[in-house]
Amino acid sequence: MPKKALITGITGQDGYHLSELLNNKGYEVYGLIRGQQNPKLVRVEQEQPYIKLIEGDLTDQSSLVRSIEVSEPDEIYNLAAVSHVGYSFRNPILTAEVTGKGVLNLLEAIRVTGYANKVRFYQASTSEMFGGLDYNRPGKGYDENALFHPRSPYGVAKLYGHWITKNYRESYGMHASCGILFNHEGPRRGIEFVTRKISNAVARIHLGLQDHIELGNLDSKRDWGYAGDYVEGMWLMLQQEKPDDYVLATGETHSIQDYLELAFKEVGIENWHLYVKQNPKFLRPAEVDILLGNPEKAEKILGWKRKVDFEDLVSMMVKHDLELESPNKLT
Ligand code: NAP
Ligand code: GDD
Protein backbone atom coordinates (compact mmCIF):
# COMPACT_ATOMS: atom_id res chain seq x y z
CA MET A 1 0.00 0.00 0.00
CA PRO A 2 1.45 3.41 -0.88
CA LYS A 3 1.70 5.96 1.91
CA LYS A 4 -0.84 8.77 1.82
CA ALA A 5 -0.05 12.42 2.46
CA LEU A 6 -2.42 15.35 2.86
CA ILE A 7 -0.88 18.76 2.07
CA THR A 8 -2.53 22.08 2.88
CA GLY A 9 -1.27 25.05 0.86
CA ILE A 10 -0.99 22.84 -2.22
CA THR A 11 -1.15 25.84 -4.59
CA GLY A 12 1.79 27.60 -2.92
CA GLN A 13 5.50 27.38 -3.67
CA ASP A 14 6.26 24.68 -1.09
CA GLY A 15 3.07 22.79 -1.91
CA TYR A 16 4.34 22.47 -5.48
CA HIS A 17 7.79 21.16 -4.50
CA LEU A 18 6.58 18.88 -1.70
CA SER A 19 3.91 17.23 -3.83
CA GLU A 20 6.51 16.59 -6.55
CA LEU A 21 8.85 15.04 -3.99
CA LEU A 22 6.19 12.82 -2.40
CA ASN A 23 4.78 11.72 -5.75
CA ASN A 24 8.30 10.71 -6.83
CA LYS A 25 8.60 8.69 -3.63
CA GLY A 26 5.41 6.79 -4.50
CA TYR A 27 3.01 8.55 -2.12
CA GLU A 28 -0.66 9.06 -2.87
CA VAL A 29 -0.86 12.86 -2.63
CA TYR A 30 -3.96 14.76 -1.47
CA GLY A 31 -4.10 18.54 -1.56
CA LEU A 32 -6.45 20.95 0.19
CA ILE A 33 -7.57 23.73 -2.16
CA ARG A 34 -9.64 26.70 -1.08
CA GLY A 35 -12.21 28.93 -2.76
CA GLN A 36 -15.09 28.19 -5.08
CA GLN A 37 -13.09 29.05 -8.19
CA ASN A 38 -9.43 29.12 -7.22
CA PRO A 39 -7.48 30.64 -10.15
CA LYS A 40 -4.60 28.22 -9.50
CA LEU A 41 -6.79 25.14 -9.89
CA VAL A 42 -6.20 24.85 -13.65
CA ARG A 43 -2.42 25.12 -13.20
CA VAL A 44 -2.37 22.36 -10.58
CA GLU A 45 -4.66 20.10 -12.62
CA GLN A 46 -2.50 20.55 -15.72
CA GLU A 47 0.95 20.32 -14.14
CA GLN A 48 0.32 17.89 -11.31
CA PRO A 49 -2.61 15.69 -12.35
CA TYR A 50 -1.62 13.07 -9.78
CA ILE A 51 -2.77 15.29 -6.88
CA LYS A 52 -6.19 14.40 -5.51
CA LEU A 53 -7.70 17.78 -4.65
CA ILE A 54 -10.07 18.27 -1.73
CA GLU A 55 -11.95 21.56 -1.27
CA GLY A 56 -11.38 23.13 2.12
CA ASP A 57 -10.16 26.09 4.10
CA LEU A 58 -8.11 26.34 7.30
CA THR A 59 -10.84 28.54 8.79
CA ASP A 60 -13.57 25.95 8.15
CA GLN A 61 -13.02 23.09 10.56
CA SER A 62 -15.71 20.87 9.06
CA SER A 63 -13.83 20.93 5.75
CA LEU A 64 -10.66 19.86 7.56
CA VAL A 65 -12.47 16.95 9.21
CA ARG A 66 -13.77 15.92 5.79
CA SER A 67 -10.32 16.21 4.22
CA ILE A 68 -8.94 13.75 6.80
CA GLU A 69 -11.86 11.35 6.41
CA VAL A 70 -11.47 11.38 2.63
CA SER A 71 -7.68 11.07 2.45
CA GLU A 72 -7.05 8.81 5.50
CA PRO A 73 -3.49 10.20 5.62
CA ASP A 74 -0.31 8.75 7.11
CA GLU A 75 1.28 12.21 7.01
CA ILE A 76 -0.18 15.73 7.07
CA TYR A 77 1.90 18.75 6.03
CA ASN A 78 0.34 22.05 7.10
CA LEU A 79 1.79 24.55 4.62
CA ALA A 80 -1.28 26.77 4.25
CA ALA A 81 -1.04 30.28 5.66
CA VAL A 82 -1.42 33.95 5.02
CA SER A 83 2.33 34.04 4.40
CA HIS A 84 3.21 37.56 3.26
CA VAL A 85 4.61 39.67 6.10
CA GLY A 86 3.64 43.05 4.58
CA TYR A 87 0.10 41.84 3.89
CA SER A 88 -0.20 40.64 7.49
CA PHE A 89 0.25 44.21 8.78
CA ARG A 90 -2.69 45.32 6.62
CA ASN A 91 -4.81 42.23 7.43
CA PRO A 92 -3.81 41.23 10.97
CA ILE A 93 -7.10 39.64 12.02
CA LEU A 94 -7.35 37.44 8.93
CA THR A 95 -3.71 36.48 9.51
CA ALA A 96 -4.45 35.45 13.09
CA GLU A 97 -7.48 33.42 11.96
CA VAL A 98 -5.65 31.53 9.20
CA THR A 99 -1.97 31.41 10.13
CA GLY A 100 -2.55 31.09 13.89
CA LYS A 101 -5.95 29.61 14.72
CA GLY A 102 -6.03 27.65 11.46
CA VAL A 103 -3.32 25.39 12.91
CA LEU A 104 -5.52 24.65 15.93
CA ASN A 105 -8.49 23.94 13.65
CA LEU A 106 -6.41 21.34 11.83
CA LEU A 107 -4.97 19.78 14.99
CA GLU A 108 -8.45 19.52 16.47
CA ALA A 109 -9.73 17.95 13.25
CA ILE A 110 -6.96 15.37 13.61
CA ARG A 111 -7.89 14.72 17.23
CA VAL A 112 -11.66 14.43 16.79
CA THR A 113 -11.31 12.09 13.80
CA GLY A 114 -9.19 9.76 15.94
CA TYR A 115 -6.00 10.41 13.96
CA ALA A 116 -3.92 11.91 16.79
CA ASN A 117 -1.90 8.73 17.19
CA LYS A 118 -2.19 7.50 13.61
CA VAL A 119 -0.83 10.42 11.61
CA ARG A 120 2.48 12.28 11.49
CA PHE A 121 2.07 16.07 11.38
CA TYR A 122 4.35 18.79 10.00
CA GLN A 123 3.82 22.45 10.93
CA ALA A 124 5.43 25.15 8.76
CA SER A 125 7.03 27.37 11.41
CA THR A 126 9.31 30.21 10.40
CA SER A 127 12.44 32.21 11.11
CA GLU A 128 10.14 35.27 11.30
CA MET A 129 9.41 34.09 14.87
CA PHE A 130 12.97 35.16 15.86
CA GLY A 131 12.49 38.73 14.73
CA GLY A 132 16.15 39.60 14.19
CA LEU A 133 16.48 41.86 17.24
CA ASP A 134 18.88 39.83 19.40
CA TYR A 135 21.31 39.29 16.58
CA ASN A 136 24.34 38.96 18.83
CA ARG A 137 25.38 35.50 17.90
CA PRO A 138 28.22 36.04 15.46
CA GLY A 139 28.91 33.29 13.00
CA LYS A 140 26.37 30.85 14.38
CA GLY A 141 22.92 32.31 13.82
CA TYR A 142 19.55 31.36 15.31
CA ASP A 143 19.10 27.76 16.39
CA GLU A 144 16.19 25.85 17.94
CA ASN A 145 16.96 27.28 21.40
CA ALA A 146 17.09 30.96 20.45
CA LEU A 147 14.55 33.38 21.92
CA PHE A 148 11.48 34.29 19.90
CA HIS A 149 10.53 37.93 19.36
CA PRO A 150 8.20 38.13 16.34
CA ARG A 151 7.98 41.54 14.65
CA SER A 152 4.80 41.23 12.56
CA PRO A 153 1.22 39.95 12.87
CA TYR A 154 2.41 37.09 10.66
CA GLY A 155 5.28 36.21 13.01
CA VAL A 156 3.01 36.39 16.06
CA ALA A 157 0.39 34.14 14.41
CA LYS A 158 3.11 31.64 13.41
CA LEU A 159 4.37 31.59 16.99
CA TYR A 160 0.89 30.52 18.13
CA GLY A 161 0.89 27.78 15.47
CA HIS A 162 4.33 26.66 16.65
CA TRP A 163 3.40 26.42 20.32
CA ILE A 164 -0.02 24.83 19.82
CA THR A 165 1.68 22.15 17.72
CA LYS A 166 4.20 21.51 20.51
CA ASN A 167 1.31 21.49 22.99
CA TYR A 168 -0.56 18.79 21.04
CA ARG A 169 2.66 16.78 20.88
CA GLU A 170 3.08 17.01 24.65
CA SER A 171 -0.63 16.65 25.56
CA TYR A 172 -1.78 13.92 23.19
CA GLY A 173 1.47 12.21 22.24
CA MET A 174 1.11 13.29 18.63
CA HIS A 175 3.96 12.77 16.18
CA ALA A 176 3.96 16.51 15.44
CA SER A 177 7.10 18.34 14.29
CA CYS A 178 7.77 21.99 13.51
CA GLY A 179 10.21 23.00 10.81
CA ILE A 180 11.60 26.45 11.61
CA LEU A 181 12.47 27.33 8.05
CA PHE A 182 14.47 30.33 6.95
CA ASN A 183 13.58 31.99 3.65
CA HIS A 184 13.51 29.63 0.71
CA GLU A 185 12.92 30.71 -2.83
CA GLY A 186 12.96 29.52 -6.43
CA PRO A 187 11.16 29.93 -9.75
CA ARG A 188 7.87 28.93 -8.07
CA ARG A 189 8.08 31.76 -5.52
CA GLY A 190 5.09 34.14 -5.53
CA ILE A 191 5.77 37.42 -7.34
CA GLU A 192 4.88 39.37 -4.16
CA PHE A 193 8.09 38.23 -2.42
CA VAL A 194 11.23 40.26 -2.95
CA THR A 195 13.48 37.69 -4.67
CA ARG A 196 10.94 36.78 -7.34
CA LYS A 197 9.82 40.39 -7.73
CA ILE A 198 13.44 41.26 -8.53
CA SER A 199 14.21 38.25 -10.79
CA ASN A 200 11.05 38.92 -12.79
CA ALA A 201 11.74 42.66 -13.10
CA VAL A 202 15.35 42.05 -14.15
CA ALA A 203 14.15 39.72 -16.92
CA ARG A 204 11.55 42.24 -18.07
CA ILE A 205 14.03 45.14 -17.98
CA HIS A 206 16.48 43.09 -20.06
CA LEU A 207 13.73 42.28 -22.58
CA GLY A 208 12.62 45.94 -22.77
CA LEU A 209 9.24 45.21 -21.15
CA GLN A 210 9.70 47.60 -18.19
CA ASP A 211 12.27 50.25 -17.30
CA HIS A 212 12.68 50.09 -13.49
CA ILE A 213 11.64 48.31 -10.29
CA GLU A 214 10.20 49.86 -7.11
CA LEU A 215 11.24 48.37 -3.79
CA GLY A 216 11.14 49.16 -0.07
CA ASN A 217 13.97 48.51 2.38
CA LEU A 218 17.15 47.44 0.56
CA ASP A 219 19.27 46.95 3.69
CA SER A 220 17.62 43.95 5.30
CA LYS A 221 19.44 40.62 5.18
CA ARG A 222 18.03 37.14 4.77
CA ASP A 223 19.28 33.56 4.91
CA TRP A 224 18.03 32.49 1.47
CA GLY A 225 17.96 28.85 0.30
CA TYR A 226 16.26 26.91 -2.47
CA ALA A 227 12.71 25.61 -1.81
CA GLY A 228 13.42 22.26 -3.51
CA ASP A 229 16.07 21.51 -0.87
CA TYR A 230 13.82 22.55 2.03
CA VAL A 231 10.86 20.26 1.27
CA GLU A 232 13.27 17.32 1.52
CA GLY A 233 13.93 18.45 5.12
CA MET A 234 10.18 18.55 5.86
CA TRP A 235 9.83 14.97 4.70
CA LEU A 236 12.87 13.84 6.68
CA MET A 237 11.38 15.30 9.89
CA LEU A 238 8.34 13.04 9.55
CA GLN A 239 10.49 9.94 8.91
CA GLN A 240 12.15 10.20 12.36
CA GLU A 241 11.07 7.87 15.11
CA LYS A 242 10.47 10.81 17.45
CA PRO A 243 8.86 14.16 16.61
CA ASP A 244 10.98 17.26 17.17
CA ASP A 245 11.63 20.80 15.92
CA TYR A 246 14.38 21.67 13.46
CA VAL A 247 15.87 24.80 11.90
CA LEU A 248 16.47 24.58 8.15
CA ALA A 249 18.80 27.28 6.87
CA THR A 250 21.93 27.82 4.79
CA GLY A 251 24.05 29.47 7.51
CA GLU A 252 24.71 32.48 5.24
CA THR A 253 23.04 35.85 5.12
CA HIS A 254 22.84 38.33 2.23
CA SER A 255 21.23 41.74 1.78
CA ILE A 256 18.58 42.73 -0.77
CA GLN A 257 21.37 44.79 -2.39
CA ASP A 258 23.51 41.63 -2.76
CA TYR A 259 20.59 39.93 -4.47
CA LEU A 260 20.06 42.92 -6.78
CA GLU A 261 23.72 42.99 -7.72
CA LEU A 262 23.83 39.31 -8.72
CA ALA A 263 20.46 39.36 -10.46
CA PHE A 264 21.33 42.35 -12.66
CA LYS A 265 24.78 40.89 -13.38
CA GLU A 266 23.03 37.82 -14.77
CA VAL A 267 21.79 39.98 -17.68
CA GLY A 268 25.06 41.93 -17.99
CA ILE A 269 24.04 45.06 -16.00
CA GLU A 270 26.74 46.23 -13.55
CA ASN A 271 25.09 49.38 -12.19
CA TRP A 272 21.76 48.15 -10.81
CA HIS A 273 21.17 51.45 -8.95
CA LEU A 274 20.09 53.01 -12.27
CA TYR A 275 17.06 50.73 -12.43
CA VAL A 276 15.88 50.68 -8.79
CA LYS A 277 13.59 53.27 -7.16
CA GLN A 278 12.61 53.20 -3.53
CA ASN A 279 8.90 53.46 -2.75
CA PRO A 280 7.81 53.90 0.88
CA LYS A 281 4.68 51.90 0.04
CA PHE A 282 6.81 48.75 0.38
CA LEU A 283 8.23 49.62 3.81
CA ARG A 284 6.84 47.77 6.84
CA PRO A 285 5.78 49.27 10.22
CA ALA A 286 8.43 47.06 11.88
CA GLU A 287 11.24 45.32 10.03
CA VAL A 288 13.27 42.18 10.64
CA ASP A 289 16.69 43.57 9.82
CA ILE A 290 18.68 40.37 9.68
CA LEU A 291 18.08 36.62 9.68
CA LEU A 292 20.80 34.00 9.84
CA GLY A 293 20.05 30.39 10.73
CA ASN A 294 22.11 27.60 12.23
CA PRO A 295 21.08 24.26 10.65
CA GLU A 296 23.53 22.09 12.66
CA LYS A 297 20.81 20.02 14.35
CA ALA A 298 19.05 19.17 11.08
CA GLU A 299 22.39 18.35 9.45
CA LYS A 300 23.41 16.06 12.29
CA ILE A 301 20.13 14.29 13.05
CA LEU A 302 18.27 14.36 9.73
CA GLY A 303 21.36 14.22 7.52
CA TRP A 304 19.86 17.21 5.70
CA LYS A 305 22.00 19.74 3.85
CA ARG A 306 21.06 22.38 1.35
CA LYS A 307 22.54 21.79 -2.09
CA VAL A 308 21.86 25.05 -3.96
CA ASP A 309 23.95 28.07 -2.92
CA PHE A 310 23.03 31.76 -3.10
CA GLU A 311 24.69 32.49 -6.45
CA ASP A 312 23.05 29.49 -8.13
CA LEU A 313 19.68 30.38 -6.63
CA VAL A 314 19.74 33.92 -8.05
CA SER A 315 20.92 32.65 -11.42
CA MET A 316 18.22 29.95 -11.52
CA MET A 317 15.47 32.48 -10.77
CA VAL A 318 16.59 35.05 -13.34
CA LYS A 319 17.06 32.41 -16.05
CA HIS A 320 13.58 31.07 -15.36
CA ASP A 321 12.02 34.53 -15.64
CA LEU A 322 13.94 35.31 -18.85
CA GLU A 323 12.42 32.20 -20.36
CA LEU A 324 8.97 32.98 -18.96
CA GLU A 325 8.92 36.60 -20.14
CA SER A 326 10.61 36.04 -23.48
CA PRO A 327 8.30 37.37 -26.25
CA ASN A 328 9.44 34.49 -28.50
CA LYS A 329 7.94 32.05 -26.05
CA LEU A 330 4.53 33.68 -26.36
CA THR A 331 4.35 33.55 -30.18
P1 NAP B 1 2.73 30.50 -0.29
O1 NAP B 1 3.35 30.25 -1.63
O2 NAP B 1 2.29 31.87 0.07
O3 NAP B 1 1.47 29.50 -0.18
C1 NAP B 1 0.50 29.65 0.85
C2 NAP B 1 -0.59 28.62 0.63
O4 NAP B 1 -1.57 28.75 1.66
C3 NAP B 1 -1.34 28.78 -0.71
O5 NAP B 1 -1.58 27.50 -1.26
C4 NAP B 1 -2.66 29.41 -0.27
O6 NAP B 1 -3.74 29.12 -1.12
C5 NAP B 1 -2.86 28.70 1.06
N1 NAP B 1 -3.86 29.37 1.90
C6 NAP B 1 -3.91 30.67 2.26
N2 NAP B 1 -4.98 30.89 3.05
C7 NAP B 1 -5.61 29.70 3.19
C8 NAP B 1 -6.77 29.27 3.89
N3 NAP B 1 -7.54 30.13 4.59
N4 NAP B 1 -7.13 27.96 3.84
C9 NAP B 1 -6.40 27.07 3.12
N5 NAP B 1 -5.30 27.43 2.41
C10 NAP B 1 -4.90 28.72 2.46
O7 NAP B 1 3.71 29.98 0.87
P2 NAP B 1 5.03 29.08 0.74
O8 NAP B 1 6.18 29.94 0.45
O9 NAP B 1 4.73 27.90 -0.08
O10 NAP B 1 5.20 28.63 2.28
C11 NAP B 1 4.57 27.47 2.79
C12 NAP B 1 4.40 27.61 4.30
O11 NAP B 1 5.68 27.74 4.91
C13 NAP B 1 3.61 28.82 4.75
O12 NAP B 1 2.90 28.44 5.91
C14 NAP B 1 4.66 29.85 5.10
O13 NAP B 1 4.16 30.77 6.04
C15 NAP B 1 5.73 28.95 5.65
N6 NAP B 1 7.11 29.44 5.50
C16 NAP B 1 7.56 29.82 4.29
C17 NAP B 1 8.88 30.21 4.15
C18 NAP B 1 9.43 30.62 2.81
O14 NAP B 1 10.51 31.24 2.77
N7 NAP B 1 8.79 30.28 1.71
C19 NAP B 1 9.74 30.21 5.26
C20 NAP B 1 9.24 29.79 6.48
C21 NAP B 1 7.92 29.38 6.60
P3 NAP B 1 -4.16 30.10 -2.36
O15 NAP B 1 -3.20 29.76 -3.47
O16 NAP B 1 -5.56 29.70 -2.65
O17 NAP B 1 -3.98 31.50 -1.87
N1 GDD C 1 7.98 41.56 -0.48
C1 GDD C 1 8.78 42.63 -0.62
N2 GDD C 1 8.53 43.55 -1.62
N3 GDD C 1 9.82 42.78 0.24
C2 GDD C 1 10.63 43.85 0.07
C3 GDD C 1 10.42 44.80 -0.94
C4 GDD C 1 9.31 44.64 -1.81
O1 GDD C 1 9.07 45.43 -2.72
N4 GDD C 1 11.41 45.73 -0.86
C5 GDD C 1 12.20 45.37 0.15
N5 GDD C 1 11.73 44.24 0.74
C6 GDD C 1 12.32 43.57 1.92
C7 GDD C 1 11.33 43.32 3.06
O2 GDD C 1 11.11 44.52 3.81
C8 GDD C 1 12.08 42.25 3.83
O3 GDD C 1 13.05 42.85 4.67
C9 GDD C 1 12.81 41.47 2.74
O4 GDD C 1 12.76 42.28 1.56
C10 GDD C 1 12.22 40.11 2.44
O5 GDD C 1 10.83 40.27 2.19
P1 GDD C 1 9.94 39.07 1.61
O6 GDD C 1 10.53 38.53 0.37
O7 GDD C 1 8.53 39.55 1.57
O8 GDD C 1 10.12 37.90 2.70
P2 GDD C 1 10.06 37.92 4.30
O9 GDD C 1 11.45 37.65 4.78
O10 GDD C 1 9.38 39.11 4.81
O11 GDD C 1 9.12 36.68 4.59
C11 GDD C 1 9.33 35.44 3.91
O12 GDD C 1 10.22 34.63 4.64
C12 GDD C 1 9.74 34.20 5.92
C13 GDD C 1 10.85 33.35 6.57
O13 GDD C 1 11.80 34.18 7.17
C14 GDD C 1 7.96 34.77 3.72
O14 GDD C 1 8.10 33.65 2.87
C15 GDD C 1 7.39 34.29 5.04
O15 GDD C 1 6.20 33.53 4.81
C16 GDD C 1 8.46 33.40 5.72
O16 GDD C 1 7.98 32.93 6.95
Side-chain angles (χ1 to χ4, degrees), residues 11-14 34 38 40 57-58 79 83 154 158 184:
T11 51
Q13 170 187 254
D14 291 5
R34 71 175 173 136
N38 192 312
K40 296 174 193 158
D57 194 298
L58 274 195
L79 308 185
S83 75
Y154 167 78
K158 276 286 181 188
H184 45 281

Side-chain angles (χ1 to χ4, degrees), residues 38-307:
N38 192 312
K40 296 174 193 158
L41 173 66
V42 175
R43 199 264 295 152
V44 176
E45 282 179 338
Q46 281 175 356
E47 289 185 3
Q48 300 182 298
Y50 57 82
I51 299 175
K52 296 178 172 65
L53 292 168
I54 302 172
E55 288 175 353
D57 194 298
L58 274 195
T59 60
D60 176 0
Q61 215 214 342
S62 63
S63 73
L64 303 177
V65 167
R66 192 179 62 248
S67 72
I68 294 167
E69 287 172 348
V70 169
S71 60
E72 300 179 322
D74 299 291
E75 296 172 9
I76 296 180
Y77 296 85
N78 183 33
L79 308 185
V82 170
S83 75
H84 192 270
V85 173
Y87 181 89
S88 81
F89 281 103
R90 300 186 296 276
N91 302 274
I93 295 169
L94 175 70
T95 305
E97 288 291 343
V98 178
T99 305
K101 186 165 164 269
V103 185
L104 176 60
N105 291 342
L106 184 52
L107 289 165
E108 267 300 277
I110 291 170
R111 201 176 64 81
V112 300
T113 51
Y115 272 78
N117 300 116
K118 285 199 243 171
V119 80
R120 294 186 174 195
F121 179 78
Y122 174 84
Q123 168 57 18
S125 291
T126 169
S127 48
E128 271 289 309
M129 300 186 311
F130 295 124
L133 284 185
D134 72 329
Y135 179 73
N136 289 319
R137 28 182 83 239
K140 283 282 187 186
Y142 290 107
D143 62 21
E144 294 77 5
N145 301 314
L147 282 181
F148 295 125
H149 187 141
R151 299 262 295 158
S152 63
Y154 167 78
V156 173
K158 276 286 181 188
L159 195 52
Y160 177 80
H162 184 76
W163 278 106
I164 198 70
T165 302
K166 286 166 81 90
N167 180 254
Y168 270 55
R169 177 165 83 210
E170 291 168 8
S171 307
Y172 305 114
M174 272 183 70
H175 194 295
S177 296
C178 300
I180 307 173
L181 270 52
F182 283 66
N183 299 50
H184 45 281
E185 321 287 318
R188 295 278 168 172
R189 187 60 144 150
I191 202 87
E192 67 273 33
F193 299 97
V194 78
T195 55
R196 183 78 198 287
K197 184 174 171 182
I198 295 172
S199 66
N200 189 260
V202 166
R204 291 176 61 81
I205 288 167
H206 178 70
L207 294 166
L209 300 172
Q210 75 184 59
D211 57 14
H212 73 281
I213 176 173
E214 293 187 5
L215 294 168
N217 177 15
L218 302 184
D219 296 323
S220 55
K221 292 183 156 187
R222 291 290 181 271
D223 181 327
W224 278 303
Y226 171 53
D229 289 343
Y230 285 52
V231 297
E232 178 86 32
M234 296 176 187
W235 176 76
L236 283 168
M237 286 176 213
L238 297 205
Q239 308 319 304
Q240 304 307 302
E241 196 186 325
K242 286 193 181 151
D244 204 346
D245 306 326
Y246 298 90
V247 161
L248 297 186
T250 70
E252 285 176 27
T253 189
H254 300 273
S255 67
I256 313 292
Q257 304 197 36
D258 297 336
Y259 189 97
L260 281 164
E261 190 174 322
L262 284 182
F264 275 97
K265 261 197 191 138
E266 191 69 28
V267 296
I269 296 174
E270 294 291 333
N271 194 352
W272 58 264
H273 295 90
L274 298 175
Y275 300 90
V276 176
K277 291 186 185 163
Q278 276 191 283
N279 185 338
K281 182 172 115 180
F282 298 112
L283 296 175
R284 295 167 181 178
E287 179 61 282
V288 172
D289 291 328
I290 178 162
L291 287 176
L292 171 65
N294 178 351
E296 267 174 31
K297 178 177 171 185
E299 289 178 359
K300 197 168 151 220
I301 297 176
L302 304 179
W304 177 85
K305 189 149 180 68
R306 62 82 187 233
K307 298 183 187 86

